[in-house]
Amino acid sequence: MSDLFWLTDAQMARLEPFFPKSHGRPRVDDRRVLSGIIFINRNGLRWRDAPIAYGPHKTLYNRWKRWSDKGIFARMMAGLAAEHSETKTVMIDATYLRAHRTATSLGVKKGGVDA
């Protein structure tokens, strides 16, 4: 696939100071995993739909989950924003919830307030 996203050497150099120290076993290639996480989030895909070039989808998810819980991605964003003298970061969540086709009438049927 030629439309895969890969972080450049310059981008990796800017992100590396925010990486946690590796304890014990060395981590899987950071460039491959982070590029895969960005690709998944950018395209709104499920973890299972990650192209094989990024490695196992479970590895991508585990790194994303572990680093999210530790606040590493938030520190990356804050650190990169601080380099450009920004005092705030804005995060936009592009997820959405699908409502069942009968959800609009559930309030009326269950005795809820009619809008």
Side-chain angles (χ1 to χ4, degrees), residues 20-97:
K21 301 287 185 228
S22 180
H23 301 289
R25 206 168 17 152
R27 285 194 304 259
V28 177
D29 181 27
D30 289 325
R31 180 187 312 266
R32 187 184 77 193
V33 173
L34 289 177
S35 295
I37 291 170
I38 292 169
F39 182 83
I40 291 294
N41 288 322
R42 180 184 277 181
N43 293 303
L45 300 175
R46 297 179 308 165
W47 294 107
R48 290 187 178 273
D49 296 334
I52 197 68
Y54 295 125
H57 67 87
K58 191 70 172 170
T59 302
L60 300 177
Y61 172 77
N62 286 340
R63 175 82 58 94
W64 174 81
K65 178 69 173 149
R66 192 170 52 249
W67 282 18
S68 293
D69 290 345
K70 291 181 179 181
I72 293 168
F73 290 119
R75 280 195 298 271
M76 279 183 192
M77 297 300 273
L80 293 173
E83 290 177 8
H84 296 287
S85 68
E86 294 290 333
T87 57
K88 295 181 180 179
T89 57
V90 177
M91 305 284 267
I92 299 172
D93 185 8
T95 59
Y96 65 93
L97 298 174

